[in-house]
Amino acid sequence: MESILEVKNLSKHFVLHMLQKKKIKGFENISFSLKEKEAIGIIGKSGSGKSSLLKCIYRTYIPTSGSVIFNSKIFGPIDLASASEDKILVLRNKEISYVSQFFKVIPRVSAIEIVSSELLKRGKKKEEAYYIASQYLERLDIPKDLWDAYPATFSGGQQQRLNIIKAIIVKPRLLLIDEPTASLDRYSKNKVIDLLLELKDEGTSIVGVFHDTDSMKRLVDKVYKIPEHICEGAEVLNI
Ligand SMILES: Nc1ncnc2c1ncn2[C@@H]1O[C@H](COP(=O)(O)OP(=O)(O)OP(=O)(O)O)[C@@H](O)[C@H]1O
């Protein structure tokens, strides 16, 4: 199996310009690799830098040091830490999806439109995009009468499931997913993990941040624990 992602000595510090350029440590010196069709779970205490790590891989944040080598289909091996914005945008459209902990509400756009727009953007016909979107909405138990409603009014768990569908409907090569089961009951958690397992089986590699280790264990092949004292490096545990 080929490696799809190599994170090497990655660190992120934040500089707070409003507070006399105070430095805040996001995370320090993280290294791990991920093979195709493999899933890694990122765990660690609150504030240890899990979300910041995902955002550095997705390049929402620019890492302070280190590299993130992604074995891209389009560009070949590319360092996401230093790639141009143009290339990052192409990769986000074609190969890498990210699911944040929070749903970004788009005013007056219905649930089915939000989900199917990801396929329309990639050239699918409207009818087919709506059909595929409806299958995902059904699988993750979004009630049919909400499909044409605006998600601003949805419950936290419904918004979270929509967020997940939006990212996985395009079957990315690399999925970065932050706390996918956080506000879900056990039944919905299992459905989300089932869907992610299917995606992985079809070829997607996954980096997931978890507090819910029971759900995580069903999905991942290995776990990376960001240690409490983040300056001491980190360890990779196989489970
Ligand atoms: N945009 C930012 N500006 C300044 N500091 C930030 C920013 N984003 C994160 N941090 C800081 O980086 C550290 C790590 O935050 P992060 O959200 O990555 O932790 P986490 O492990 O995901 O926490 P949790 O489990 O509570 O979600 C925190 O001290 C946080 O204050």
Side-chain angles (χ1 to χ4, degrees):
M1 253 194 308
E2 216 181 316
S3 160
I4 187 167
L5 189 73
E6 293 270 353
V7 174
K8 281 187 205 153
N9 304 322
L10 199 69
S11 301
K12 175 66 185 170
H13 299 162
F14 298 94
V15 180
L16 305 182
H17 292 278
M18 305 284 275
L19 292 177
Q20 286 87 43
K21 300 195 175 172
K22 182 177 180 163
K23 270 197 178 171
I24 304 276
K25 204 176 279 183
F27 58 84
E28 188 90 42
N29 203 25
I30 288 183
S31 301
F32 64 83
S33 68
L34 188 67
K35 291 180 183 147
E36 286 192 346
K37 295 176 97 167
E38 198 175 37
I40 187 167
I42 309 293
I43 59 171
K45 282 202 162 175
S46 177
S48 59
K50 303 178 297 297
S51 298
S52 302
L53 170 63
L54 277 198
K55 288 177 185 169
C56 280
I57 300 173
Y58 195 57
R59 253 288 288 282
T60 311
Y61 292 160
I62 297 178
T64 307
S65 59
S67 59
V68 181
I69 308 298
F70 174 63
N71 202 352
S72 160
K73 274 256 188 302
I74 304 169
F75 302 117
I78 179 167
D79 185 359
L80 302 177
S82 58
S84 70
E85 293 291 328
D86 287 351
K87 284 187 174 164
I88 293 290
L89 288 180
V90 172
L91 290 171
R92 288 179 181 181
N93 277 326
K94 305 272 184 204
E95 301 194 46
I96 305 174
S97 289
Y98 166 74
V99 186
S100 88
Q101 273 172 292
F102 310 104
F103 182 73
K104 212 185 272 170
V105 172
I106 309 167
R108 287 180 295 284
V109 184
S110 70
I112 194 153
E113 276 178 287
I114 286 177
V115 172
S116 58
S117 69
E118 296 302 317
L119 295 172
L120 296 174
K121 273 193 248 170
R122 288 162 178 82
K124 281 254 187 297
K125 295 255 163 56
K126 189 171 174 181
E127 208 170 282
E128 193 187 357
Y130 267 56
Y131 175 70
I132 297 170
S134 66
Q135 288 193 317
Y136 277 97
L137 292 169
E138 209 163 289
R139 268 200 73 178
L140 287 193
D141 293 319
I142 305 293
K144 220 168 190 161
D145 34 339
L146 291 186
W147 293 3
D148 59 358
Y150 304 141
T153 58
F154 287 13
S155 76
Q158 287 167 339
Q159 290 187 348
Q160 189 173 18
R161 277 174 279 155
L162 262 196
N163 228 6
I164 294 169
I165 296 171
K166 189 168 169 270
I168 68 175
I169 198 166
V170 298
K171 299 187 187 292
R173 289 187 66 227
L174 177 64
L175 177 68
L176 309 167
I177 190 162
D178 202 345
E179 298 270 11
T181 53
S183 45
L184 304 179
D185 57 53
R186 187 183 302 182
Y187 174 79
S188 299
K189 280 179 184 175
N190 281 332
K191 285 205 147 188
V192 165
I193 298 294
D194 287 345
L195 208 54
L196 293 176
L197 280 167
E198 263 179 46
L199 193 73
K200 183 171 165 256
D201 234 32
E202 290 170 36
T204 296
S205 307
I206 302 174
V207 183
V209 165
F210 288 91
H211 278 297
D212 168 17
T213 47
D214 288 339
S215 294
M216 177 186 77
K217 280 179 188 163
R218 285 194 56 216
L219 176 71
V220 305
D221 304 289
K222 57 187 179 182
V223 175
Y224 186 100
K225 184 180 176 194
I226 302 183
E228 252 172 80
H229 305 291
I230 49 181
C231 53
E232 290 176 7
E235 51 181 325
V236 177
L237 310 170
N238 282 308
I239 58 168

